[in-house]
Short mmCIF file of all heavy atoms in Angstrom, two decimals:
data_model
loop_
_atom_site.label_atom_id
_atom_site.label_comp_id
_atom_site.label_asym_id
_atom_site.label_seq_id
_atom_site.Cartn_x
_atom_site.Cartn_y
_atom_site.Cartn_z
N GLN D 276 28.41 104.83 114.89
CA GLN D 276 29.84 105.06 115.17
C GLN D 276 30.47 105.86 114.05
O GLN D 276 30.23 105.59 112.87
CB GLN D 276 30.56 103.72 115.31
CG GLN D 276 32.08 103.85 115.48
CD GLN D 276 32.79 102.52 115.36
OE1 GLN D 276 32.17 101.46 115.31
NE2 GLN D 276 34.11 102.55 115.29
N HIS D 277 31.30 106.83 114.43
CA HIS D 277 32.08 107.59 113.45
C HIS D 277 33.55 107.52 113.86
O HIS D 277 33.91 107.81 115.00
CB HIS D 277 31.64 109.05 113.41
CG HIS D 277 32.69 109.97 112.85
ND1 HIS D 277 33.57 110.69 113.64
CD2 HIS D 277 33.04 110.24 111.55
CE1 HIS D 277 34.41 111.37 112.86
NE2 HIS D 277 34.10 111.12 111.61
N ASN D 278 34.38 107.11 112.91
CA ASN D 278 35.82 107.09 113.13
C ASN D 278 36.51 107.80 111.98
O ASN D 278 35.99 107.84 110.86
CB ASN D 278 36.33 105.65 113.26
CG ASN D 278 37.71 105.58 113.89
OD1 ASN D 278 38.18 106.53 114.50
ND2 ASN D 278 38.36 104.44 113.75
N PHE D 279 37.66 108.39 112.26
CA PHE D 279 38.34 109.23 111.28
C PHE D 279 39.84 109.12 111.42
O PHE D 279 40.36 109.00 112.53
CB PHE D 279 37.90 110.69 111.47
CG PHE D 279 38.70 111.70 110.67
CD1 PHE D 279 38.59 111.75 109.29
CD2 PHE D 279 39.56 112.57 111.30
CE1 PHE D 279 39.33 112.66 108.55
CE2 PHE D 279 40.30 113.49 110.58
CZ PHE D 279 40.18 113.54 109.20
N GLY D 280 40.52 109.18 110.28
CA GLY D 280 41.97 109.20 110.30
C GLY D 280 42.50 110.15 109.25
O GLY D 280 42.02 110.16 108.11
N ILE D 281 43.45 110.98 109.65
CA ILE D 281 44.11 111.88 108.70
C ILE D 281 44.82 111.03 107.68
O ILE D 281 45.49 110.05 108.00
CB ILE D 281 45.11 112.80 109.42
CG1 ILE D 281 44.38 113.80 110.33
CG2 ILE D 281 45.99 113.52 108.41
CD1 ILE D 281 43.69 114.90 109.57
N GLY D 282 44.63 111.39 106.40
CA GLY D 282 45.38 110.63 105.40
C GLY D 282 44.67 110.25 104.12
O GLY D 282 45.32 109.97 103.15
N GLY D 283 43.38 110.17 104.02
CA GLY D 283 42.41 110.34 105.08
C GLY D 283 41.21 109.46 104.78
O GLY D 283 40.89 109.17 103.64
N ALA D 284 40.53 109.07 105.83
CA ALA D 284 39.34 108.23 105.68
C ALA D 284 38.40 108.46 106.84
O ALA D 284 38.83 108.70 107.98
CB ALA D 284 39.72 106.76 105.60
N ALA D 285 37.11 108.38 106.54
CA ALA D 285 36.07 108.41 107.58
C ALA D 285 35.24 107.15 107.43
O ALA D 285 34.88 106.77 106.31
CB ALA D 285 35.20 109.65 107.44
N VAL D 286 34.93 106.52 108.54
CA VAL D 286 34.11 105.30 108.55
C VAL D 286 32.92 105.53 109.45
O VAL D 286 33.08 105.95 110.60
CB VAL D 286 34.90 104.07 109.03
CG1 VAL D 286 34.02 102.83 108.98
CG2 VAL D 286 36.16 103.87 108.21
N VAL D 287 31.73 105.27 108.94
CA VAL D 287 30.51 105.37 109.73
C VAL D 287 29.85 104.00 109.74
O VAL D 287 29.70 103.37 108.68
CB VAL D 287 29.55 106.44 109.17
CG1 VAL D 287 28.23 106.44 109.94
CG2 VAL D 287 30.20 107.83 109.22
N THR D 288 29.47 103.55 110.93
CA THR D 288 28.88 102.21 111.08
C THR D 288 27.59 102.32 111.88
O THR D 288 27.54 103.01 112.90
CB THR D 288 29.85 101.27 111.82
OG1 THR D 288 31.13 101.29 111.16
CG2 THR D 288 29.32 99.85 111.85
#
Side-chain angles (χ1 to χ4, degrees):
Q276 175 190 351
H277 159 263
N278 197 15
F279 170 69
I281 292 286
V286 181
V287 175
T288 308

